[in-house]
Amino acid sequence: MERLFTPCAIGNVKLKNRVVFAPTSLGGHGLELYREIAAGGTGLVILPDVSVQPSMLGAPSLDSGWFFPYFRQVLYLCRKEGCEAAPQLFFPEYDLAYVGGLFQNRQSLGAEEVRRKMAENVDGYCDSLSETQAEEIIARFGAAAKYAAAAGFRLVQIHGDRLLGSFSSAVFNHRTDRYGKRTAFPAAVVRAVKEAAPELAVDYKLTVRTEEPRLGRGGVAIGEVPEFVRALEEAGADSFHVAAANHSNLRDTIPAANHPFLRGEGCFSHLGEAVLNCASKPVCLVGKIQHGAFAEGLVERGYGFVGLSRQLIADPQWPNKVRAGREEEIRYCVYCNQKCVGGLMSHKPVGCVLRQETEG
Ligand SMILES: Cc1cc2nc3c(=O)[nH]c(=O)nc-3n(C[C@H](O)[C@H](O)[C@H](O)COP(=O)(O)O)c2cc1C
């Protein structure tokens, strides 16, 4: 593994290797898993869905300094092992107060009605925001970046799906003002982060959708990738993290083993290639990556990083085992989605069927 374990950088942030723990909501604060993943040899951990406004259900956010003790603990656990950590800054693709109200009334409304009303809200939300509201949200990303720097982070990831995914997509964005240009809002967010905290490196999660087969609704249409990459690089993005676009079905963004289209190792490679072909900044690919030789091949092909989510939940020691040539000891993810995605869906902490079996 000559390339996978060589140091590299995102902007001015040096990373010890090219293995990234992709953003993964864990249904809790995840300190124990981050400790294990950092100790297992991963170079960068992305902390999932860190809100730029006060979040629902007490999830860590960066709208104030309230969660600094938590973030500093994560940074301490990671850096002790030579691993970096970066928060994934996001804004939801729906009106948080409205959706919060739906959940409060879910007994009387019923689960089906809550789902229907929420989907309706997602469909119209991007268009419903006034220009002033859009600019307030952009400013929130800038403010969150300042908090991120004050908490001790050197790098942030901007979540290019969620609300940015809606602005990026012709399915949701029918605006006639300046943000009707689909690159405008995401690029403005990157600029705001760079201006507010120039010392931070910025990774952009670029989610890509395809028409044939039809996968994803938010995010960037595969044919529009070059235009987005140019606009985001001009705005200051230092790297890209490529995955599948959402606003449709988790089954497509976190595909199980039996997905009709996204089956083999590197299942989003076609999306990654579209970005790799035009980006001048490092690109990270995710999607069912689990063999050392495959990951090494991606770096050889030109990817700056490889991102793993479920494989690192199944075996946080993956990097150490690959590096030491002990691959026969790896607990390979079977992409059953039972306890990881299943945990998430049933509002329980994320787990792994393999770890329960082997660890009792
Ligand atoms: C339990 C779980 C939670 C996830 N949460 C997030 C999240 O909060 N933000 C995000 O951008 N992606 C999230 N993802 C998607 C992953 O970052 C990744 O793109 C996807 O799982 C494919 O990679 P994999 O095949 O290595 O698991 C999540 C994935 C899983 C399994």
Side-chain angles (χ1 to χ4, degrees):
M1 301 299 152
E2 279 174 25
R3 295 179 175 83
L4 190 57
F5 294 102
T6 51
C8 51
I10 295 181
N12 58 2
V13 178
K14 293 199 173 51
L15 301 171
K16 70 171 173 182
N17 64 36
R18 293 152 190 278
V19 182
V20 175
F21 181 43
T24 305
S25 293
L26 297 170
H29 286 187
L31 288 173
E32 181 50 25
L33 187 65
Y34 296 144
R35 192 194 58 71
E36 285 185 84
I37 285 178
T42 289
L44 171 65
V45 165
I46 313 277
L47 307 178
D49 274 359
V50 176
S51 179
V52 302
Q53 65 177 346
S55 61
M56 269 205 299
L57 309 172
S61 57
L62 275 168
D63 60 301
S64 71
W66 181 258
F67 284 97
F68 279 9
Y70 165 73
F71 289 123
R72 287 183 178 143
Q73 208 174 345
V74 176
L75 280 168
Y76 171 75
L77 290 174
C78 289
R79 287 189 181 147
K80 185 154 80 72
E81 305 290 347
C83 172
E84 264 301 330
Q88 178 187 50
L89 303 181
F90 93 102
F91 196 93
E93 65 280 28
Y94 45 75
D95 181 332
L96 192 65
Y98 172 76
V99 169
L102 291 180
F103 277 93
Q104 265 168 9
N105 295 317
R106 66 184 179 281
Q107 300 291 16
S108 55
L109 286 169
E112 193 50 46
E113 186 61 359
V114 168
R115 258 195 299 277
R116 194 190 64 73
K117 282 184 178 289
M118 188 169 162
E120 198 178 76
N121 189 258
V122 170
D123 279 350
Y125 188 52
C126 158
D127 288 349
S128 76
L129 293 166
S130 69
E131 209 169 319
T132 310
Q133 285 171 318
E135 270 146 22
E136 279 166 8
I137 294 170
I138 293 167
R140 279 185 183 276
F141 275 91
K146 273 196 176 141
Y147 283 118
F153 290 109
R154 299 177 186 136
L155 168 72
V156 292
Q157 180 180 85
I158 295 174
H159 199 331
D161 214 320
R162 311 297 306 258
L163 183 61
L164 276 70
S166 298
F167 273 91
S168 303
S169 168
V171 176
F172 296 94
N173 186 346
H174 310 102
R175 299 175 68 101
T176 50
D177 61 2
R178 71 165 97 168
Y179 298 114
K181 185 174 158 62
R182 290 190 285 280
T183 52
F185 186 84
V189 167
V190 174
R191 268 195 304 275
V193 166
K194 277 286 179 186
E195 276 163 24
E199 68 275 35
L200 286 180
V202 174
D203 178 44
Y204 189 91
K205 178 163 176 173
L206 183 64
T207 61
V208 185
R209 65 192 175 89
T210 56
E211 284 298 336
E212 285 178 25
R214 181 164 291 183
L215 292 173
R217 295 175 72 226
V220 175
I222 196 158
E224 295 177 2
V225 162
E227 190 185 337
F228 271 82
V229 166
R230 199 177 325 117
L232 294 165
E233 285 189 352
E234 271 169 24
D238 294 302
S239 60
F240 296 100
H241 180 107
V242 184
N246 206 334
H247 293 13
S248 49
N249 203 319
L250 276 186
R251 281 197 298 258
D252 298 333
T253 48
I254 314 174
N258 62 357
H259 190 282
F261 307 109
L262 304 166
R263 273 179 188 260
E265 186 155 12
C267 63
F268 300 144
S269 295
H270 56 304
L271 312 178
E273 290 293 296
V275 181
L276 199 59
N277 284 339
C278 56
S280 63
K281 304 286 181 182
V283 180
C284 176
L285 180 70
V286 297
K288 292 185 178 169
I289 296 167
Q290 61 176 176
H291 289 95
F294 188 86
E296 176 75 9
L298 289 174
V299 180
E300 217 167 285
R301 202 170 151 57
Y303 287 97
F305 303 90
V306 295
L308 291 77
S309 166
R310 288 167 291 180
Q311 180 54 56
L312 285 174
I313 299 175
D315 192 346
Q317 281 288 328
W318 186 90
N320 283 347
K321 289 178 184 173
V322 169
R323 189 171 192 184
R326 294 189 284 116
E327 296 202 46
E328 72 287 353
E329 291 175 26
I330 291 174
R331 205 160 34 211
Y332 283 107
C333 175
V334 292
Y335 301 112
C336 68
N337 280 2
Q338 281 186 43
K339 294 256 173 186
C340 54
V341 179
L344 207 60
M345 302 298 279
S346 53
H347 307 288
K348 290 191 189 128
V350 161
C352 176
V353 289
L354 298 180
R355 295 189 65 171
Q356 280 177 344
E357 277 160 19
T358 54
E359 290 171 0

